[in-house]
Amino acid sequence: MKAEWVDGFEIRVTAEKGETVISANREGMLSLAKQLRMLADRVPGDHIHYDENNSLEEGSAVMIIERI
């Protein structure tokens, strides 16, 4: 699945003490919304892998969203 990004997106994921926080600017939220919509139409098991090397801000925790 090819992820589509809105120009200027910023997304950060932190995970501490059992809590996960996803922080994003407007463009980041719009990007995530588009990707979640696309993933909803896919088959179970499809997923999107996010990390600081391909989409998240430096220092972010890895985030995987999977269609069940």
Side-chain angles (χ1 to χ4, degrees):
M1 184 172 93
K2 183 174 174 4
E4 294 182 27
W5 300 99
V6 176
D7 288 340
F9 77 93
E10 294 180 22
I11 304 168
R12 175 173 289 110
V13 177
T14 57
E16 297 180 9
K17 300 179 183 175
E19 295 181 346
T20 301
V21 177
I22 301 167
S23 305
N25 63 0
R26 181 179 188 279
E27 294 81 1
M29 290 189 178
L30 291 171
S31 296
L32 289 172
K34 286 173 102 175
Q35 293 165 23
L36 289 172
R37 171 70 180 164
M38 288 183 358
L39 189 57
D41 292 334
R42 304 290 293 211
V43 298
D46 279 354
H47 66 280
I48 305 172
H49 185 110
Y50 302 88
D51 62 42
E52 66 180 34
N53 294 317
N54 69 14
S55 53
L56 301 179
E57 297 298 303
E58 185 176 330
S60 289
V62 171
M63 176 174 69
I64 299 170
I65 301 177
E66 181 178 22
R67 164 76 159 82
I68 58 170

